[in-house]
Amino acid sequence: MKTRALSGRKIAILAAPGVEQSELTAPREALLREGAHVDIVSLKKDTLRAWNHDDWGMTFEVDRHIDQANPSEYDALVLPGGVMNPDTLRMDHRAVEFARSFMTASKPVAAICHGPWLLVEAGAVRGRNLTSYPSLHTDLANAGANWTDAQVVVDGNLITSRRPDDLPAFCHALIDLVTRSAAHVAAE
């Protein structure tokens, strides 16, 4: 049987109520297909409800509450968007510190849509090349990022994409970066 690329890797998806459903489910499913263990980490303890385009969507079980999630236990972080989700997360010091720790450790971080808002709050975008939902352009530029309108931007350990339509490219870049990161760690 063929070993899947991410067997043994543990990935956190940081999400709050109002997370854009497809931006949580598509990366999660792609990572699981490649053999990764994926935890939904949240400010909520039991479940959270997603936003599905223009109305409330599915409810998801939370795997780890933010207070019980240790960034050192994870190999990568996914930051889905939606407007409500990152706006809630960036107002919580635990979520900000959780995201900052991945950036400081140079672990793979993948943020889509409004997800980079949390990285702005974490002080982690200055001098970085990235993209986002277009309405974040000014926020990111004011925080010192080099913003571009592209389907996916990879800058070192940081992957960013604009919107749900970009999910195939986003997921491909995420799998590729986490696979390369895992190979690098194994070679050390």
Side-chain angles (χ1 to χ4, degrees):
M1 182 174 174
K2 181 183 167 193
T3 302
R4 294 182 288 174
L6 299 181
S7 292
R9 299 290 120 196
K10 191 172 180 182
I11 316 299
I13 298 177
L14 184 57
V19 62
E20 183 62 44
Q21 184 169 300
S22 63
E23 294 172 5
L24 184 150
T25 58
R28 182 180 185 208
E29 290 165 5
L31 290 162
L32 289 170
R33 271 194 308 274
E34 292 299 326
H37 173 90
V38 182
D39 280 345
I40 296 175
V41 176
S42 183
L43 308 176
K44 300 283 285 178
K45 289 192 179 200
D46 299 318
T47 61
L48 65 88
R49 194 155 181 207
W51 189 254
N52 190 17
H53 303 295
D54 58 1
D55 200 358
W56 289 105
M58 295 171 56
T59 299
F60 294 88
E61 295 290 325
V62 172
D63 298 299
R64 299 288 287 276
H65 184 265
I66 190 85
D67 290 338
Q68 281 76 47
N70 184 341
S72 67
E73 296 176 10
Y74 294 97
D75 298 295
L77 174 64
V78 176
L79 300 172
V83 176
M84 290 178 271
N85 172 54
D87 197 45
T88 298
L89 293 173
R90 69 185 178 150
M91 298 299 294
D92 188 287
H93 72 279
R94 299 167 300 176
V96 172
E97 188 52 42
F98 193 79
R100 181 183 293 123
S101 65
F102 282 86
M103 293 298 289
T104 301
S106 297
K107 291 182 178 183
V109 174
I112 187 167
C113 190
H114 288 73
W117 257 348
L118 183 58
L119 299 176
V120 169
E121 197 67 33
V125 299
R126 182 165 301 284
R128 302 301 296 260
N129 299 311
L130 51 81
T131 192
S132 67
Y133 195 76
S135 66
L136 271 64
H137 171 261
T138 301
D139 295 341
L140 292 164
N142 286 341
N146 304 310
W147 188 89
T148 186
D149 184 14
Q151 187 177 43
V152 67
V153 174
V154 179
D155 181 357
N157 68 311
L158 180 61
I159 301 163
T160 52
S161 283
R162 301 171 299 191
R163 59 180 55 100
D165 290 346
D166 298 333
L167 279 164
F170 179 75
C171 291
H172 177 77
L174 172 60
I175 299 299
D176 182 60
L177 183 60
V178 175
T179 301
R180 287 187 287 118
S181 176
H184 176 73
V185 169
E188 290 181 342

